[in-house]
Short mmCIF file of all heavy atoms in Angstrom, two decimals:
data_model
loop_
_atom_site.label_atom_id
_atom_site.label_comp_id
_atom_site.label_asym_id
_atom_site.label_seq_id
_atom_site.Cartn_x
_atom_site.Cartn_y
_atom_site.Cartn_z
N MET A 292 10.38 -16.67 15.56
CA MET A 292 10.66 -15.25 15.57
C MET A 292 9.37 -14.53 16.07
O MET A 292 8.27 -14.75 15.54
CB MET A 292 11.05 -14.73 14.18
CG MET A 292 11.28 -13.24 14.13
SD MET A 292 11.79 -12.68 12.52
CE MET A 292 11.82 -10.97 12.70
N THR A 293 9.58 -13.70 17.09
CA THR A 293 8.40 -12.97 17.59
C THR A 293 8.41 -11.58 17.04
O THR A 293 9.40 -10.96 16.74
CB THR A 293 8.47 -12.94 19.11
OG1 THR A 293 9.67 -12.33 19.53
CG2 THR A 293 8.35 -14.32 19.69
N VAL A 294 7.20 -11.08 16.94
CA VAL A 294 6.99 -9.75 16.37
C VAL A 294 6.40 -8.85 17.45
O VAL A 294 5.42 -9.19 18.04
CB VAL A 294 6.04 -9.76 15.16
CG1 VAL A 294 5.83 -8.33 14.65
CG2 VAL A 294 6.64 -10.65 14.04
N ASP A 295 7.09 -7.76 17.65
CA ASP A 295 6.59 -6.77 18.64
C ASP A 295 5.34 -6.10 18.07
O ASP A 295 5.47 -5.42 17.08
CB ASP A 295 7.66 -5.79 18.96
CG ASP A 295 7.27 -4.86 20.09
OD1 ASP A 295 6.05 -4.76 20.41
OD2 ASP A 295 8.17 -4.17 20.59
N PRO A 296 4.19 -6.29 18.66
CA PRO A 296 3.00 -5.65 18.14
C PRO A 296 2.98 -4.16 18.17
O PRO A 296 2.22 -3.54 17.43
CB PRO A 296 1.89 -6.25 19.01
CG PRO A 296 2.54 -6.66 20.25
CD PRO A 296 3.98 -7.08 19.85
N SER A 297 3.87 -3.56 18.99
CA SER A 297 3.88 -2.09 19.06
C SER A 297 4.62 -1.46 17.90
O SER A 297 4.42 -0.31 17.55
CB SER A 297 4.52 -1.60 20.37
OG SER A 297 5.91 -2.01 20.42
N THR A 298 5.41 -2.32 17.26
CA THR A 298 6.22 -1.79 16.07
C THR A 298 5.73 -2.34 14.77
O THR A 298 5.96 -1.79 13.69
CB THR A 298 7.70 -2.05 16.27
OG1 THR A 298 7.93 -3.44 16.36
CG2 THR A 298 8.28 -1.30 17.45
N ALA A 299 5.05 -3.48 14.87
CA ALA A 299 4.59 -4.10 13.58
C ALA A 299 3.36 -3.38 13.12
O ALA A 299 2.43 -3.08 13.85
CB ALA A 299 4.25 -5.57 13.86
N THR A 300 3.37 -3.07 11.84
CA THR A 300 2.20 -2.46 11.24
C THR A 300 1.45 -3.50 10.40
O THR A 300 2.04 -4.05 9.49
CB THR A 300 2.63 -1.24 10.37
OG1 THR A 300 3.69 -1.67 9.49
CG2 THR A 300 3.06 -0.05 11.15
N ALA A 301 0.29 -3.64 10.80
CA ALA A 301 -0.54 -4.74 10.10
C ALA A 301 -0.72 -4.44 8.64
O ALA A 301 -0.90 -5.34 7.84
CB ALA A 301 -1.88 -4.83 10.77
N ASP A 302 -0.60 -3.15 8.32
CA ASP A 302 -0.85 -2.81 6.91
C ASP A 302 0.23 -3.23 5.97
O ASP A 302 0.03 -3.42 4.79
CB ASP A 302 -1.03 -1.26 6.79
CG ASP A 302 -2.44 -0.85 7.04
OD1 ASP A 302 -3.33 -1.68 7.01
OD2 ASP A 302 -2.66 0.35 7.20
N ASP A 303 1.44 -3.41 6.56
CA ASP A 303 2.57 -3.71 5.69
C ASP A 303 2.44 -4.94 4.86
O ASP A 303 2.79 -4.95 3.68
CB ASP A 303 3.81 -3.80 6.56
CG ASP A 303 4.51 -2.48 6.78
OD1 ASP A 303 4.00 -1.47 6.21
OD2 ASP A 303 5.52 -2.39 7.51
N ASN A 304 1.90 -5.94 5.42
CA ASN A 304 1.77 -7.17 4.69
C ASN A 304 0.33 -7.50 4.29
O ASN A 304 0.07 -8.59 3.76
CB ASN A 304 2.36 -8.36 5.53
CG ASN A 304 3.89 -8.24 5.70
OD1 ASN A 304 4.54 -7.87 4.74
ND2 ASN A 304 4.37 -8.51 6.92
N ALA A 305 -0.50 -6.56 4.59
CA ALA A 305 -1.93 -6.78 4.25
C ALA A 305 -2.14 -6.54 2.78
O ALA A 305 -1.44 -5.77 2.13
CB ALA A 305 -2.80 -5.82 4.99
N THR A 306 -3.05 -7.29 2.25
CA THR A 306 -3.43 -7.11 0.81
C THR A 306 -4.24 -5.85 0.68
O THR A 306 -5.21 -5.61 1.40
CB THR A 306 -4.24 -8.29 0.35
OG1 THR A 306 -3.52 -9.51 0.54
CG2 THR A 306 -4.55 -8.19 -1.13
N VAL A 307 -3.82 -5.06 -0.23
CA VAL A 307 -4.48 -3.78 -0.45
C VAL A 307 -5.36 -3.87 -1.70
O VAL A 307 -4.93 -4.33 -2.75
CB VAL A 307 -3.47 -2.63 -0.64
CG1 VAL A 307 -4.23 -1.31 -0.92
CG2 VAL A 307 -2.63 -2.46 0.60
N GLU A 308 -6.56 -3.49 -1.54
CA GLU A 308 -7.54 -3.64 -2.64
C GLU A 308 -7.55 -2.38 -3.46
O GLU A 308 -7.52 -1.22 -2.99
CB GLU A 308 -8.93 -3.81 -2.07
CG GLU A 308 -9.91 -4.40 -3.09
CD GLU A 308 -11.21 -4.78 -2.41
OE1 GLU A 308 -11.27 -5.89 -1.84
OE2 GLU A 308 -12.21 -4.00 -2.48
N CYS A 309 -7.48 -2.54 -4.77
CA CYS A 309 -7.49 -1.39 -5.66
C CYS A 309 -8.85 -0.66 -5.62
O CYS A 309 -9.85 -1.25 -5.72
CB CYS A 309 -7.22 -1.89 -7.12
SG CYS A 309 -7.50 -0.57 -8.34
N PRO A 310 -8.75 0.67 -5.40
CA PRO A 310 -10.05 1.43 -5.27
C PRO A 310 -10.76 1.58 -6.65
O PRO A 310 -11.89 1.94 -6.68
CB PRO A 310 -9.55 2.77 -4.80
CG PRO A 310 -8.17 2.90 -5.21
CD PRO A 310 -7.59 1.51 -5.25
N TYR A 311 -10.06 1.28 -7.70
CA TYR A 311 -10.66 1.49 -9.05
C TYR A 311 -11.36 0.26 -9.52
O TYR A 311 -12.50 0.31 -10.04
CB TYR A 311 -9.61 1.89 -10.03
CG TYR A 311 -8.90 3.15 -9.69
CD1 TYR A 311 -7.56 3.17 -9.24
CD2 TYR A 311 -9.52 4.38 -9.76
CE1 TYR A 311 -6.91 4.32 -8.88
CE2 TYR A 311 -8.90 5.53 -9.41
CZ TYR A 311 -7.59 5.53 -9.00
OH TYR A 311 -6.91 6.66 -8.60
N CYS A 312 -10.70 -0.88 -9.41
CA CYS A 312 -11.28 -2.12 -9.98
C CYS A 312 -11.50 -3.21 -8.94
O CYS A 312 -12.08 -4.23 -9.20
CB CYS A 312 -10.43 -2.70 -11.10
SG CYS A 312 -8.82 -3.30 -10.53
N GLY A 313 -11.02 -2.97 -7.65
CA GLY A 313 -11.26 -3.94 -6.60
C GLY A 313 -10.32 -5.10 -6.67
O GLY A 313 -10.43 -6.00 -5.86
N SER A 314 -9.35 -5.06 -7.55
CA SER A 314 -8.34 -6.20 -7.62
C SER A 314 -7.44 -6.09 -6.38
O SER A 314 -7.10 -5.10 -5.88
CB SER A 314 -7.55 -6.06 -8.88
OG SER A 314 -6.48 -6.98 -8.88
N THR A 315 -7.00 -7.29 -5.97
CA THR A 315 -6.04 -7.32 -4.90
C THR A 315 -4.64 -7.57 -5.45
O THR A 315 -3.67 -7.87 -4.68
CB THR A 315 -6.41 -8.43 -3.84
OG1 THR A 315 -6.59 -9.62 -4.56
CG2 THR A 315 -7.69 -8.03 -3.15
N ASP A 316 -4.50 -7.56 -6.76
CA ASP A 316 -3.18 -7.75 -7.39
C ASP A 316 -2.45 -6.37 -7.40
O ASP A 316 -2.28 -5.81 -8.47
CB ASP A 316 -3.39 -8.34 -8.79
CG ASP A 316 -2.04 -8.76 -9.38
OD1 ASP A 316 -1.03 -8.68 -8.67
OD2 ASP A 316 -1.99 -9.12 -10.59
N THR A 317 -2.06 -5.93 -6.25
CA THR A 317 -1.48 -4.65 -6.18
C THR A 317 -0.06 -4.72 -5.56
O THR A 317 0.22 -5.65 -4.77
CB THR A 317 -2.31 -3.68 -5.25
OG1 THR A 317 -2.45 -4.26 -3.97
CG2 THR A 317 -3.63 -3.46 -5.94
N GLU A 318 0.75 -3.82 -5.86
CA GLU A 318 2.12 -3.69 -5.35
C GLU A 318 2.27 -2.42 -4.54
O GLU A 318 1.74 -1.37 -4.90
CB GLU A 318 3.16 -3.65 -6.44
CG GLU A 318 3.32 -4.97 -7.17
CD GLU A 318 4.43 -4.88 -8.23
OE1 GLU A 318 5.09 -3.79 -8.32
OE2 GLU A 318 4.61 -5.83 -8.95
N ARG A 319 3.00 -2.58 -3.44
CA ARG A 319 3.26 -1.37 -2.64
C ARG A 319 4.57 -0.73 -3.12
O ARG A 319 5.53 -1.47 -3.33
CB ARG A 319 3.37 -1.68 -1.18
CG ARG A 319 3.63 -0.50 -0.34
CD ARG A 319 3.71 -0.83 1.16
NE ARG A 319 3.92 0.37 1.92
CZ ARG A 319 3.94 0.43 3.27
NH1 ARG A 319 3.78 -0.62 3.91
NH2 ARG A 319 4.15 1.54 3.88
N GLU A 320 4.56 0.53 -3.35
CA GLU A 320 5.77 1.23 -3.77
C GLU A 320 6.30 1.97 -2.60
O GLU A 320 5.62 2.28 -1.62
CB GLU A 320 5.48 2.18 -4.90
CG GLU A 320 4.84 1.44 -6.07
CD GLU A 320 4.71 2.38 -7.28
OE1 GLU A 320 4.70 3.54 -7.11
OE2 GLU A 320 4.64 1.82 -8.41
N HIS A 321 7.58 2.20 -2.65
CA HIS A 321 8.26 2.92 -1.59
C HIS A 321 7.74 4.35 -1.48
O HIS A 321 7.65 5.01 -2.53
CB HIS A 321 9.75 2.91 -1.74
CG HIS A 321 10.34 1.56 -1.57
ND1 HIS A 321 10.44 0.90 -0.38
CD2 HIS A 321 10.84 0.68 -2.51
CE1 HIS A 321 10.93 -0.31 -0.56
NE2 HIS A 321 11.23 -0.45 -1.86
N PRO A 322 7.39 4.81 -0.30
CA PRO A 322 6.96 6.16 -0.13
C PRO A 322 7.95 7.18 -0.50
O PRO A 322 9.16 7.03 -0.28
CB PRO A 322 6.57 6.26 1.32
CG PRO A 322 7.38 5.18 2.01
CD PRO A 322 7.53 4.13 1.00
N LYS A 323 7.55 8.22 -1.13
CA LYS A 323 8.47 9.30 -1.51
C LYS A 323 8.07 10.54 -0.71
O LYS A 323 6.94 10.82 -0.44
CB LYS A 323 8.37 9.63 -3.03
CG LYS A 323 8.74 8.41 -3.85
CD LYS A 323 8.38 8.71 -5.29
CE LYS A 323 8.66 7.47 -6.16
NZ LYS A 323 8.14 7.58 -7.51
N GLY A 324 9.10 11.31 -0.32
CA GLY A 324 8.80 12.52 0.44
C GLY A 324 8.59 12.27 1.87
O GLY A 324 8.72 11.14 2.38
N PRO A 325 8.33 13.31 2.63
CA PRO A 325 8.27 13.23 4.09
C PRO A 325 6.98 12.65 4.61
O PRO A 325 6.89 12.36 5.80
CB PRO A 325 8.42 14.69 4.52
CG PRO A 325 7.84 15.45 3.34
CD PRO A 325 8.12 14.65 2.11
N SER A 326 6.01 12.49 3.78
CA SER A 326 4.67 12.04 4.28
C SER A 326 4.69 10.54 4.44
O SER A 326 4.64 9.80 3.51
CB SER A 326 3.59 12.51 3.34
OG SER A 326 2.33 12.08 3.84
N LEU A 327 4.72 10.12 5.69
CA LEU A 327 4.75 8.70 5.97
C LEU A 327 3.38 8.14 6.38
O LEU A 327 3.25 6.99 6.71
CB LEU A 327 5.77 8.38 7.08
CG LEU A 327 7.23 8.73 6.66
CD1 LEU A 327 8.14 8.40 7.87
CD2 LEU A 327 7.68 7.86 5.47
N CYS A 328 2.40 9.05 6.40
CA CYS A 328 1.07 8.59 6.85
C CYS A 328 0.32 8.06 5.64
O CYS A 328 -0.81 7.65 5.76
CB CYS A 328 0.31 9.77 7.45
SG CYS A 328 -0.02 11.15 6.33
N ARG A 329 0.94 8.02 4.47
CA ARG A 329 0.30 7.39 3.33
C ARG A 329 1.29 6.60 2.56
O ARG A 329 2.53 6.81 2.64
CB ARG A 329 -0.32 8.49 2.45
CG ARG A 329 0.71 9.37 1.78
CD ARG A 329 0.02 10.47 1.02
NE ARG A 329 0.99 11.30 0.34
CZ ARG A 329 0.74 12.38 -0.37
NH1 ARG A 329 -0.53 12.76 -0.45
NH2 ARG A 329 1.65 13.11 -0.95
N SER A 330 0.84 5.69 1.76
CA SER A 330 1.77 4.83 0.99
C SER A 330 1.21 4.72 -0.43
O SER A 330 0.01 4.78 -0.65
CB SER A 330 1.87 3.44 1.58
OG SER A 330 0.65 2.83 1.76
N MET A 331 2.14 4.58 -1.30
CA MET A 331 1.79 4.44 -2.69
C MET A 331 1.66 2.97 -3.10
O MET A 331 2.47 2.15 -2.73
CB MET A 331 2.86 5.10 -3.61
CG MET A 331 2.88 6.56 -3.53
SD MET A 331 1.35 7.39 -3.99
CE MET A 331 1.27 6.76 -5.71
N HIS A 332 0.62 2.74 -3.88
CA HIS A 332 0.44 1.39 -4.39
C HIS A 332 0.20 1.42 -5.90
O HIS A 332 -0.14 2.48 -6.44
CB HIS A 332 -0.78 0.74 -3.69
CG HIS A 332 -0.59 0.56 -2.20
ND1 HIS A 332 -0.15 -0.62 -1.65
CD2 HIS A 332 -0.79 1.42 -1.20
CE1 HIS A 332 -0.13 -0.42 -0.33
NE2 HIS A 332 -0.49 0.79 0.01
N PHE A 333 0.42 0.29 -6.53
CA PHE A 333 0.14 0.24 -7.94
C PHE A 333 -0.62 -0.99 -8.30
O PHE A 333 -0.29 -2.06 -7.87
CB PHE A 333 1.52 0.24 -8.68
CG PHE A 333 1.40 0.24 -10.18
CD1 PHE A 333 1.20 1.43 -10.85
CD2 PHE A 333 1.49 -0.95 -10.89
CE1 PHE A 333 1.04 1.44 -12.20
CE2 PHE A 333 1.38 -0.95 -12.28
CZ PHE A 333 1.13 0.26 -12.93
N CYS A 334 -1.71 -0.80 -8.96
CA CYS A 334 -2.56 -1.94 -9.38
C CYS A 334 -2.05 -2.59 -10.64
O CYS A 334 -1.97 -1.90 -11.68
CB CYS A 334 -4.01 -1.45 -9.53
SG CYS A 334 -5.10 -2.77 -10.09
N ALA A 335 -1.76 -3.84 -10.59
CA ALA A 335 -1.26 -4.53 -11.77
C ALA A 335 -2.41 -4.88 -12.73
O ALA A 335 -2.16 -5.23 -13.85
CB ALA A 335 -0.51 -5.82 -11.32
N ASP A 336 -3.59 -4.79 -12.24
CA ASP A 336 -4.74 -5.16 -13.04
C ASP A 336 -5.18 -4.05 -14.01
O ASP A 336 -5.33 -4.23 -15.16
CB ASP A 336 -5.89 -5.56 -12.09
CG ASP A 336 -6.52 -6.89 -12.53
OD1 ASP A 336 -5.95 -7.52 -13.44
OD2 ASP A 336 -7.54 -7.23 -11.94
N CYS A 337 -5.36 -2.86 -13.42
CA CYS A 337 -5.83 -1.73 -14.25
C CYS A 337 -4.70 -0.71 -14.42
O CYS A 337 -4.94 0.36 -15.04
CB CYS A 337 -7.09 -1.10 -13.62
SG CYS A 337 -6.86 -0.34 -12.05
N GLN A 338 -3.51 -1.05 -13.96
CA GLN A 338 -2.34 -0.22 -14.25
C GLN A 338 -2.52 1.21 -13.66
O GLN A 338 -2.08 2.19 -14.23
CB GLN A 338 -2.05 -0.15 -15.70
CG GLN A 338 -1.88 -1.48 -16.39
CD GLN A 338 -0.53 -2.14 -16.08
OE1 GLN A 338 0.47 -1.65 -16.45
NE2 GLN A 338 -0.55 -3.18 -15.32
N GLN A 339 -3.17 1.31 -12.55
CA GLN A 339 -3.39 2.58 -11.93
C GLN A 339 -2.64 2.71 -10.63
O GLN A 339 -2.75 1.81 -9.75
CB GLN A 339 -4.89 2.81 -11.65
CG GLN A 339 -5.74 2.97 -12.88
CD GLN A 339 -5.55 4.34 -13.53
OE1 GLN A 339 -5.16 5.28 -12.90
NE2 GLN A 339 -5.80 4.43 -14.80
N PRO A 340 -1.89 3.77 -10.41
CA PRO A 340 -1.30 4.03 -9.14
C PRO A 340 -2.35 4.70 -8.21
O PRO A 340 -3.26 5.38 -8.69
CB PRO A 340 -0.15 4.98 -9.44
CG PRO A 340 -0.60 5.75 -10.65
CD PRO A 340 -1.50 4.79 -11.42
N PHE A 341 -2.22 4.35 -6.97
CA PHE A 341 -3.19 4.94 -6.05
C PHE A 341 -2.51 5.11 -4.69
O PHE A 341 -1.58 4.40 -4.35
CB PHE A 341 -4.49 4.18 -5.91
CG PHE A 341 -4.30 2.73 -5.47
CD1 PHE A 341 -4.41 2.44 -4.09
CD2 PHE A 341 -4.06 1.75 -6.35
CE1 PHE A 341 -4.28 1.10 -3.67
CE2 PHE A 341 -3.87 0.38 -5.92
CZ PHE A 341 -3.97 0.07 -4.59
N GLU A 342 -3.02 5.97 -3.86
CA GLU A 342 -2.51 6.23 -2.52
C GLU A 342 -3.43 5.58 -1.53
O GLU A 342 -4.64 5.57 -1.70
CB GLU A 342 -2.36 7.70 -2.25
CG GLU A 342 -1.26 8.37 -3.02
CD GLU A 342 -1.24 9.85 -2.68
OE1 GLU A 342 -2.15 10.36 -2.02
OE2 GLU A 342 -0.25 10.54 -3.15
N ARG A 343 -2.76 5.15 -0.45
CA ARG A 343 -3.63 4.65 0.66
C ARG A 343 -3.16 5.39 1.93
O ARG A 343 -1.98 5.39 2.24
CB ARG A 343 -3.40 3.14 0.84
CG ARG A 343 -4.37 2.62 1.85
CD ARG A 343 -4.15 1.15 2.02
NE ARG A 343 -5.22 0.55 2.86
CZ ARG A 343 -5.07 -0.41 3.67
NH1 ARG A 343 -3.87 -0.92 3.93
NH2 ARG A 343 -6.05 -0.87 4.39
N PHE A 344 -4.15 5.98 2.55
CA PHE A 344 -3.89 6.73 3.80
C PHE A 344 -4.06 5.80 4.99
O PHE A 344 -4.90 4.99 5.06
CB PHE A 344 -4.78 7.91 3.87
CG PHE A 344 -4.54 8.93 2.82
CD1 PHE A 344 -5.12 8.84 1.55
CD2 PHE A 344 -3.71 10.00 3.03
CE1 PHE A 344 -4.92 9.75 0.56
CE2 PHE A 344 -3.44 10.88 2.06
CZ PHE A 344 -4.06 10.81 0.81
N HIS A 345 -3.19 6.01 5.98
CA HIS A 345 -3.25 5.15 7.17
C HIS A 345 -4.04 5.89 8.28
O HIS A 345 -4.05 7.08 8.29
CB HIS A 345 -1.85 4.82 7.64
CG HIS A 345 -1.09 3.98 6.65
ND1 HIS A 345 -1.28 2.66 6.55
CD2 HIS A 345 -0.22 4.31 5.69
CE1 HIS A 345 -0.50 2.18 5.58
NE2 HIS A 345 0.14 3.18 5.04
ZN1 ZN B 275 -7.15 -1.76 -10.34
#
């Protein structure tokens, strides 16, 4: 299966580091609202939600 690089977003499967504790044990949550330039994540380590801007 080939992936079109023009539509694939590298961030989607990238590991996101928690800005609070630096853990990479984070989950991406589905974005809410019209703002698609940022995504919500949740750190399983320190139980903190955080946003990541693209
Ligand atoms: Zn954390």
